[in-house]
Amino acid sequence: MPALLLIAHGSRDPRHAATVAALVEEVRAQRPGIEIATAYLDHCAPRIPQVVGRLTDAVAVPLLLNRAFHAKHDIPAALRAAGARLPVADVLGPSAPLLAALDRRLAEAGLAVGSAAVRARTGVVLAAAGSSDPAADAATRAVAAEWRRTRGWAAVEVAYASAAGPRVPDALAALRAAGAGRTAVAPYLLAPGLLPDRIAAAAEEAGADVLAGVLGPAPEVAALLLERHDAARRTAEAAPALTA
């Protein structure tokens, strides 16, 4: 079985690396015996060149929600610069397990997610990092639409912590204008840091009723990492047969 090379963005905030480490432990718990290595694009160590040299057989799995600049350019460039010819798995989103992880975090924050009546009167802000890539923005909006469709929320509005708006207060105002009796903010982010803190501060200032935590080491995220690893491994194994 190829190793899983988890490639995370990295942050100066120590909570980021601690969350990645907790997620790795959850992956190990779900698949005992799998070799896992972690590398970061920036700010944290180890970097990709420090890790790939000791991996004889691995699949690179980006710890990213959208296929934006980091997935399209930074990770492939870093692997090439390190001389690593590894299969690279798809990013995590959009996917049904991420919706389940968002549900989990809202439930942990005190929202009765299991109640259809509660969902029907609750408007949710899906608060993402934001990207200048239109495809990434479209993917986030698709997640919001699917979350509303499958769960029956009163409404789901997208907000961004960086790049262009809308911001969390704008999204909350839109939910209230649409008649939502209760509001919740769900960060569509993987680890703590500057942007999640910005979202939390805005949610508190704007009077959101519920604020969920980041996705972090949710079991659904760990299972999705393994799913992406396995899919990329199968594709790599099938490639020689297709070209033979």
Side-chain angles (χ1 to χ4, degrees), residues 54-116:
R54 61 181 173 83
L55 297 174
T56 57
D57 185 20
V59 172
V61 183
L63 186 59
L64 299 170
L65 294 172
N66 279 330
R67 189 164 177 75
F69 190 83
H70 294 310
K72 292 177 181 178
H73 301 285
D74 287 348
I75 288 176
L79 289 169
R80 285 195 303 270
R85 300 182 61 184
L86 303 179
V88 180
D90 198 3
V91 295
L92 300 181
S95 67
L98 290 179
L99 298 182
L102 288 165
D103 290 344
R104 174 186 294 275
R105 295 305 186 222
L106 282 173
E108 291 170 351
L111 187 65
V113 173
S115 167

Side-chain angles (χ1 to χ4, degrees), residues 15-80:
R15 295 174 297 171
H16 179 92
T19 300
V20 173
L23 179 56
V24 167
E25 289 309 307
E26 177 62 29
V27 173
R28 286 198 177 104
Q30 292 189 22
R31 186 171 295 178
I34 188 171
E35 181 184 2
I36 306 173
T38 302
Y40 293 92
L41 286 172
D42 203 2
H43 303 304
C44 300
R47 302 292 179 85
I48 289 172
Q50 297 172 283
V51 175
V52 294
R54 61 181 173 83
L55 297 174
T56 57
D57 185 20
V59 172
V61 183
L63 186 59
L64 299 170
L65 294 172
N66 279 330
R67 189 164 177 75
F69 190 83
H70 294 310
K72 292 177 181 178
H73 301 285
D74 287 348
I75 288 176
L79 289 169
R80 285 195 303 270

Side-chain angles (χ1 to χ4, degrees), residues 92 94-103 151 215 218-221 223-224 227-228:
L92 300 181
S95 67
L98 290 179
L99 298 182
L102 288 165
D103 290 344
R151 303 305 196 267
L215 297 172
E220 296 85 357
V221 177
L224 186 53
E227 182 181 315
R228 294 292 191 252

Side-chain angles (χ1 to χ4, degrees), residues 75-218:
I75 288 176
L79 289 169
R80 285 195 303 270
R85 300 182 61 184
L86 303 179
V88 180
D90 198 3
V91 295
L92 300 181
S95 67
L98 290 179
L99 298 182
L102 288 165
D103 290 344
R104 174 186 294 275
R105 295 305 186 222
L106 282 173
E108 291 170 351
L111 187 65
V113 173
S115 167
V118 169
R119 296 196 305 273
R121 63 174 181 267
T122 301
V124 185
V125 177
L126 185 70
S131 172
S132 58
D133 187 325
D137 174 62
T140 301
R141 293 187 178 278
V143 169
E146 182 69 3
W147 200 20
R148 181 182 185 184
R149 185 188 71 80
T150 57
R151 303 305 196 267
W153 298 113
V156 179
E157 293 285 338
V158 171
Y160 296 115
S162 64
R167 298 288 191 253
V168 168
D170 303 319
L172 286 169
L175 291 174
R176 291 169 181 138
R182 199 172 191 204
T183 58
V185 174
Y188 190 53
L189 295 159
L190 287 161
L194 175 65
L195 296 185
D197 287 350
R198 186 180 295 170
I199 288 168
E204 182 177 357
E205 185 175 348
D209 297 304
V210 177
L211 172 63
V214 297
L215 297 172

